[in-house]
Amino acid sequence: MGRKKLHPSAKCKQHNASLNKKIPHQTKRISPSKRNEINVQCEKLFHLSSNPAYETQLWENYVQISSILEKVKRLEEMKIESSKRCEAIGNFVKWLRENGANIDGVSIAEFPGYDFGLKAERNFTEGHMILDIPRKLIFCTQTAAPELSILQNDPLVQHMPHVALAIALLIERHKENSQWKHYLDVLPNQYSTVLYMSTNDMIELKGSPTLEAALKQCRNIARQYSYFNRFFQNNQNSVSELLREVFTYEEYCWAVSTVMTRQNRIPNEDGSKMIYGLIPMWDMCNHEEGKITTDFNRISDKCECFAMRNFEAGEQIFIAYGARTNSDFFVHSGFVSIDNKQDGFKLRLGISKADALQKERVELLAKLALPSNDEFLLKPGMEPISDDLLAFLRVFSMRKPELEHWLQSDKVLDLKHVDCALETVIEENVRRFMLTRLKLLIANYPTTLEEDLEIMNSSLSHHKKLALQLRITEKQILHGALDYVEQWIKA
């Protein structure tokens, strides 16, 4: 499953570990010499992933980071005992029912192309409640891993709720007699997020704007891993004692990916703020485009999910994860939605500081409530250029007289309308700019759309196929926008 938000949000065995430093995963303790080498490599990793000088060389930086991580993974000698997730489902469902979850009429089942999902055991009509999960079953820092309070002053745990939730998962995964055992047992052992991609997989994103987001994500997680490795090795507290011998890069990737793909926002107990949590059973639902039909009921103190359409008995129950691009789905959730009507190609535009008319352009953009540097989405369909993008391009293409005119005009919002009366030369400049930019973006890919569609018929690894699907959806948006602009020029 992928990430879901309440407000538009492999196979692993539970491990026995305690604060007495019982080591569940590894068949032997890492030797002092290997531990020293891991620490040395982590220091290199922290430097490579923290130094801003490398941010302008993201690919080279990623290759260096990946090389070090390969050494670290070999030194950590991960030997994880695994059981089939299906063997844990019975105890998981029993645990849910015993703790007040209403899951009548649904079950967990395997579906082709989806791994596990939620199955309807009876007919559900649109708007009918499918399940509700009480707060005490929602995994968050208020209900799980009380030991985390020891780290409350740590800057990462304090200011990055996703990181805090990941560490909480590791605490519950490794401590003895965790009350979350049955939930942890049904979680995947691996995910399809970019953290599990090799450099050979990642290069398939060449030419895509998603490559930068993927590389930055990998860089950030490498930095966090090296930070916590140093922390757990050098501090004397119950969390460090528990995780010191079992904290590895692969363990952290698992925890972070679990959070990325399953996190949801719910109100905290007093309703004063929103917090992130993992909602058992509901997080087994896979994505389908539609309306958001899940919310948190403050009166009953439960997460409630309603059918977004009719579901017949035996059918997989889907929910909508919200309006997100395939780039976001790919990086954070590890999948691509082929017919995603909310998709978009991220087009980065900005006003140069060297522009002699920068001040006037920025001022006019402010009147339009538009930033001077931002990403704009080219959308699929008949109207790929949004009102905001059109207005930005017009301001970007104006000469001084037009800028002065519109800065004084009380009808500045007309610039967002396609039929706004403008000098012909301005509109021609906008069209030529977009035509040139789109052709360059398409040419930036090493393969054509037609070649990618042909490659889809060949045998590919899972990650390569995902990257290819993403490239295809991006190129289809670009070609649709190019056709639109070419027709616009002819009009």
Side-chain angles (χ1 to χ4, degrees), residues 319-335:
I319 62 173
Y321 291 5
R324 298 170 60 195
T325 66
N326 274 329
S327 177
D328 291 333
F329 280 140
F330 179 88
V331 173
H332 301 291
S333 301
F335 73 92

Side-chain angles (χ1 to χ4, degrees), residues 157-200:
V157 172
Q158 186 178 23
H159 300 296
M160 301 178 72
H162 313 82
V163 171
L165 201 55
I167 298 299
L169 272 173
L170 292 177
I171 291 172
E172 292 292 346
R173 194 182 201 199
H174 289 284
K175 77 180 185 184
E176 192 173 75
N177 300 322
S178 169
Q179 69 179 31
W180 300 94
K181 167 182 168 55
H182 299 305
Y183 175 51
L184 298 174
D185 281 353
V186 298
L187 291 174
N189 190 42
Q190 286 191 333
Y191 293 88
S192 297
T193 63
V194 294
L195 301 180
Y196 290 89
M197 292 177 69
S198 67
T199 52
N200 204 25

Side-chain angles (χ1 to χ4, degrees), residues 269-287:
E269 291 183 357
D270 64 12
S272 61
K273 64 178 181 179
M274 302 300 292
I275 61 174
Y276 288 97
L278 311 177
I279 304 176
M281 194 65 163
W282 183 70
D283 65 5
M284 299 298 294
C285 293
N286 290 304
H287 168 72

Side-chain angles (χ1 to χ4, degrees), residues 455-471:
I455 296 170
M456 275 295 292
N457 297 321
S458 60
S459 178
L460 299 167
S461 69
H462 180 65
H463 279 116
K464 284 184 180 292
K465 185 174 183 179
L466 281 179
L468 183 60
Q469 288 175 334
L470 179 67
R471 288 203 321 248

